[in-house]
Short mmCIF file of all heavy atoms in Angstrom, two decimals:
data_model
loop_
_atom_site.label_atom_id
_atom_site.label_comp_id
_atom_site.label_asym_id
_atom_site.label_seq_id
_atom_site.Cartn_x
_atom_site.Cartn_y
_atom_site.Cartn_z
N ASP G 7 1.53 -71.76 40.16
CA ASP G 7 2.39 -72.41 39.13
C ASP G 7 1.76 -72.45 37.74
O ASP G 7 2.09 -73.32 36.92
CB ASP G 7 2.78 -73.84 39.55
CG ASP G 7 3.73 -73.83 40.75
OD1 ASP G 7 4.46 -72.85 40.89
OD2 ASP G 7 3.73 -74.84 41.51
N LYS G 8 0.88 -71.49 37.46
CA LYS G 8 0.30 -71.41 36.12
C LYS G 8 1.34 -70.88 35.14
O LYS G 8 2.03 -69.93 35.45
CB LYS G 8 -0.92 -70.50 36.14
CG LYS G 8 -1.72 -70.54 34.88
CD LYS G 8 -2.84 -69.48 34.89
CE LYS G 8 -3.97 -69.94 35.82
NZ LYS G 8 -5.11 -69.04 35.76
N SER G 9 1.41 -71.50 33.97
CA SER G 9 2.39 -71.05 32.94
C SER G 9 1.76 -71.28 31.59
O SER G 9 0.54 -71.28 31.44
CB SER G 9 3.71 -71.78 33.10
OG SER G 9 3.53 -73.16 32.98
N VAL G 10 2.56 -71.52 30.55
CA VAL G 10 2.02 -71.68 29.20
C VAL G 10 1.30 -73.00 29.04
O VAL G 10 1.58 -73.99 29.78
CB VAL G 10 3.16 -71.58 28.16
CG1 VAL G 10 3.79 -70.23 28.17
CG2 VAL G 10 4.20 -72.64 28.36
N HIS G 11 0.37 -73.05 28.09
CA HIS G 11 -0.33 -74.26 27.75
C HIS G 11 -0.14 -74.52 26.27
O HIS G 11 -0.04 -73.58 25.47
CB HIS G 11 -1.85 -74.10 28.01
CG HIS G 11 -2.18 -73.81 29.42
ND1 HIS G 11 -2.31 -74.79 30.37
CD2 HIS G 11 -2.37 -72.66 30.08
CE1 HIS G 11 -2.58 -74.25 31.52
NE2 HIS G 11 -2.62 -72.92 31.41
N PHE G 12 -0.01 -75.81 25.93
CA PHE G 12 0.25 -76.18 24.54
C PHE G 12 -0.94 -76.92 23.95
O PHE G 12 -1.69 -77.59 24.68
CB PHE G 12 1.47 -77.13 24.48
CG PHE G 12 2.71 -76.49 24.97
CD1 PHE G 12 3.14 -76.72 26.27
CD2 PHE G 12 3.47 -75.66 24.17
CE1 PHE G 12 4.30 -76.15 26.77
CE2 PHE G 12 4.61 -75.07 24.63
CZ PHE G 12 5.03 -75.31 25.94
N GLY G 13 -1.13 -76.77 22.66
CA GLY G 13 -2.23 -77.48 21.98
C GLY G 13 -2.06 -77.37 20.49
O GLY G 13 -0.98 -77.07 19.96
N ASN G 14 -3.16 -77.60 19.76
CA ASN G 14 -3.18 -77.53 18.30
C ASN G 14 -4.06 -76.43 17.83
O ASN G 14 -5.14 -76.21 18.35
CB ASN G 14 -3.66 -78.87 17.74
CG ASN G 14 -2.69 -79.99 17.89
OD1 ASN G 14 -1.48 -79.79 17.78
ND2 ASN G 14 -3.16 -81.17 18.21
N GLN G 15 -3.58 -75.72 16.78
CA GLN G 15 -4.38 -74.75 16.07
C GLN G 15 -4.99 -75.51 14.91
O GLN G 15 -4.24 -76.08 14.10
CB GLN G 15 -3.53 -73.60 15.59
CG GLN G 15 -4.31 -72.52 14.93
CD GLN G 15 -3.45 -71.31 14.64
OE1 GLN G 15 -2.28 -71.28 15.01
NE2 GLN G 15 -4.00 -70.32 13.99
N VAL G 16 -6.30 -75.55 14.82
CA VAL G 16 -6.98 -76.32 13.79
C VAL G 16 -7.62 -75.35 12.79
O VAL G 16 -8.44 -74.53 13.16
CB VAL G 16 -8.07 -77.25 14.40
CG1 VAL G 16 -8.73 -78.10 13.34
CG2 VAL G 16 -7.46 -78.13 15.48
N SER G 17 -7.21 -75.45 11.52
CA SER G 17 -7.74 -74.60 10.49
C SER G 17 -9.11 -75.07 10.01
O SER G 17 -9.61 -76.10 10.44
CB SER G 17 -6.76 -74.55 9.30
OG SER G 17 -6.79 -75.79 8.63
N HIS G 18 -9.72 -74.30 9.12
CA HIS G 18 -11.02 -74.66 8.55
C HIS G 18 -10.96 -75.98 7.82
O HIS G 18 -11.91 -76.77 7.87
CB HIS G 18 -11.50 -73.56 7.64
CG HIS G 18 -12.82 -73.80 7.05
ND1 HIS G 18 -14.00 -73.82 7.79
CD2 HIS G 18 -13.20 -74.11 5.76
CE1 HIS G 18 -15.04 -74.07 7.01
NE2 HIS G 18 -14.56 -74.24 5.76
N SER G 19 -9.84 -76.25 7.15
CA SER G 19 -9.68 -77.53 6.45
C SER G 19 -9.18 -78.61 7.36
O SER G 19 -8.84 -79.70 6.93
CB SER G 19 -8.73 -77.37 5.26
OG SER G 19 -7.44 -76.98 5.75
N HIS G 20 -9.12 -78.36 8.66
CA HIS G 20 -8.78 -79.32 9.69
C HIS G 20 -7.29 -79.72 9.69
O HIS G 20 -6.91 -80.77 10.21
CB HIS G 20 -9.65 -80.57 9.64
CG HIS G 20 -10.01 -81.08 11.01
ND1 HIS G 20 -10.82 -80.39 11.90
CD2 HIS G 20 -9.64 -82.21 11.65
CE1 HIS G 20 -10.92 -81.08 13.01
NE2 HIS G 20 -10.21 -82.19 12.90
N ARG G 21 -6.45 -78.86 9.09
CA ARG G 21 -4.99 -79.09 9.21
C ARG G 21 -4.55 -78.54 10.58
O ARG G 21 -5.06 -77.53 11.03
CB ARG G 21 -4.25 -78.36 8.08
CG ARG G 21 -4.51 -79.00 6.73
CD ARG G 21 -3.83 -78.23 5.64
NE ARG G 21 -2.33 -78.33 5.76
CZ ARG G 21 -1.60 -79.26 5.16
NH1 ARG G 21 -2.17 -80.18 4.43
NH2 ARG G 21 -0.30 -79.26 5.32
N ARG G 22 -3.61 -79.25 11.20
CA ARG G 22 -3.24 -78.90 12.56
C ARG G 22 -1.78 -78.42 12.64
O ARG G 22 -0.93 -78.96 11.98
CB ARG G 22 -3.41 -80.09 13.47
CG ARG G 22 -4.85 -80.45 13.64
CD ARG G 22 -5.05 -81.69 14.40
NE ARG G 22 -6.47 -81.98 14.49
CZ ARG G 22 -6.97 -83.10 14.85
NH1 ARG G 22 -6.17 -84.10 15.19
NH2 ARG G 22 -8.25 -83.29 14.95
N SER G 23 -1.60 -77.41 13.46
CA SER G 23 -0.23 -76.95 13.74
C SER G 23 -0.15 -76.62 15.26
O SER G 23 -1.17 -76.35 15.88
CB SER G 23 0.15 -75.71 12.89
OG SER G 23 -0.78 -74.67 13.16
N ASN G 24 1.07 -76.64 15.75
CA ASN G 24 1.22 -76.40 17.19
C ASN G 24 0.97 -74.93 17.52
O ASN G 24 1.26 -74.02 16.73
CB ASN G 24 2.63 -76.77 17.62
CG ASN G 24 2.93 -78.21 17.42
OD1 ASN G 24 2.05 -79.03 17.48
ND2 ASN G 24 4.18 -78.50 17.14
N ARG G 25 0.44 -74.64 18.72
CA ARG G 25 0.33 -73.31 19.19
C ARG G 25 0.46 -73.26 20.70
O ARG G 25 0.38 -74.26 21.36
CB ARG G 25 -0.99 -72.66 18.75
CG ARG G 25 -2.23 -73.04 19.44
CD ARG G 25 -3.33 -72.05 19.30
NE ARG G 25 -3.08 -70.89 20.17
CZ ARG G 25 -3.97 -69.95 20.37
NH1 ARG G 25 -5.12 -69.98 19.76
NH2 ARG G 25 -3.72 -68.95 21.15
N ILE G 26 0.66 -72.05 21.21
CA ILE G 26 0.88 -71.83 22.63
C ILE G 26 -0.15 -70.83 23.15
O ILE G 26 -0.44 -69.83 22.49
CB ILE G 26 2.30 -71.25 22.89
CG1 ILE G 26 3.34 -72.30 22.53
CG2 ILE G 26 2.49 -70.81 24.33
CD1 ILE G 26 4.75 -71.82 22.62
N TRP G 27 -0.73 -71.11 24.33
CA TRP G 27 -1.56 -70.16 25.03
C TRP G 27 -0.75 -69.62 26.20
O TRP G 27 -0.41 -70.40 27.10
CB TRP G 27 -2.84 -70.79 25.56
CG TRP G 27 -3.88 -71.03 24.52
CD1 TRP G 27 -4.87 -70.18 24.18
CD2 TRP G 27 -4.05 -72.17 23.72
NE1 TRP G 27 -5.66 -70.73 23.18
CE2 TRP G 27 -5.14 -71.96 22.90
CE3 TRP G 27 -3.36 -73.39 23.56
CZ2 TRP G 27 -5.60 -72.89 21.96
CZ3 TRP G 27 -3.79 -74.30 22.63
CH2 TRP G 27 -4.89 -74.05 21.87
N ASN G 28 -0.47 -68.31 26.16
CA ASN G 28 0.28 -67.72 27.28
C ASN G 28 -0.72 -67.29 28.38
O ASN G 28 -1.75 -66.69 28.08
CB ASN G 28 1.04 -66.50 26.81
CG ASN G 28 2.23 -66.85 25.97
OD1 ASN G 28 2.91 -67.84 26.24
ND2 ASN G 28 2.46 -66.11 24.90
N SER G 29 -0.41 -67.59 29.63
CA SER G 29 -1.22 -67.15 30.75
C SER G 29 -0.99 -65.66 30.96
O SER G 29 0.05 -65.12 30.63
CB SER G 29 -0.82 -67.94 32.01
OG SER G 29 -1.05 -69.29 31.80
N ASN G 30 -1.99 -65.01 31.57
CA ASN G 30 -1.94 -63.58 31.81
C ASN G 30 -1.14 -63.35 33.10
O ASN G 30 -1.70 -63.32 34.21
CB ASN G 30 -3.34 -62.99 31.91
CG ASN G 30 -3.33 -61.50 31.80
OD1 ASN G 30 -2.28 -60.88 31.66
ND2 ASN G 30 -4.51 -60.93 31.88
N ILE G 31 0.19 -63.26 32.98
CA ILE G 31 1.07 -63.18 34.15
C ILE G 31 1.73 -61.81 34.18
O ILE G 31 2.25 -61.32 33.17
CB ILE G 31 2.12 -64.29 34.08
CG1 ILE G 31 1.42 -65.65 34.25
CG2 ILE G 31 3.19 -64.12 35.13
CD1 ILE G 31 2.31 -66.83 34.17
N LYS G 32 1.68 -61.18 35.35
CA LYS G 32 2.21 -59.85 35.54
C LYS G 32 3.41 -59.87 36.49
O LYS G 32 3.48 -60.67 37.40
CB LYS G 32 1.15 -58.89 36.13
CG LYS G 32 -0.11 -58.84 35.27
CD LYS G 32 0.19 -58.16 33.97
CE LYS G 32 -1.07 -58.05 33.12
NZ LYS G 32 -0.74 -57.67 31.76
N ARG G 33 4.31 -58.90 36.32
CA ARG G 33 5.45 -58.72 37.25
C ARG G 33 4.99 -57.74 38.32
O ARG G 33 4.63 -56.59 38.00
CB ARG G 33 6.62 -58.18 36.48
CG ARG G 33 7.91 -58.20 37.22
CD ARG G 33 9.04 -57.95 36.21
NE ARG G 33 10.29 -57.85 36.94
CZ ARG G 33 11.04 -56.78 36.98
NH1 ARG G 33 10.68 -55.68 36.34
NH2 ARG G 33 12.15 -56.76 37.64
#
């Protein structure tokens, strides 16, 4: 049941925006 993971992308100035980590899933 592994799927996408959510978190924050943190820039050098420490501003944060949402980002997604996609799992390596094959058909």
Side-chain angles (χ1 to χ4, degrees):
D7 291 333
K8 190 186 285 187
S9 60
V10 297
H11 299 276
F12 300 98
N14 289 321
Q15 183 173 358
V16 182
S17 70
H18 181 68
S19 61
H20 217 68
R21 291 178 67 92
R22 293 175 180 166
S23 60
N24 298 329
R25 76 159 283 190
I26 294 176
W27 282 269
N28 289 321
S29 300
N30 196 0
I31 294 179
K32 303 294 181 191
R33 192 166 175 245

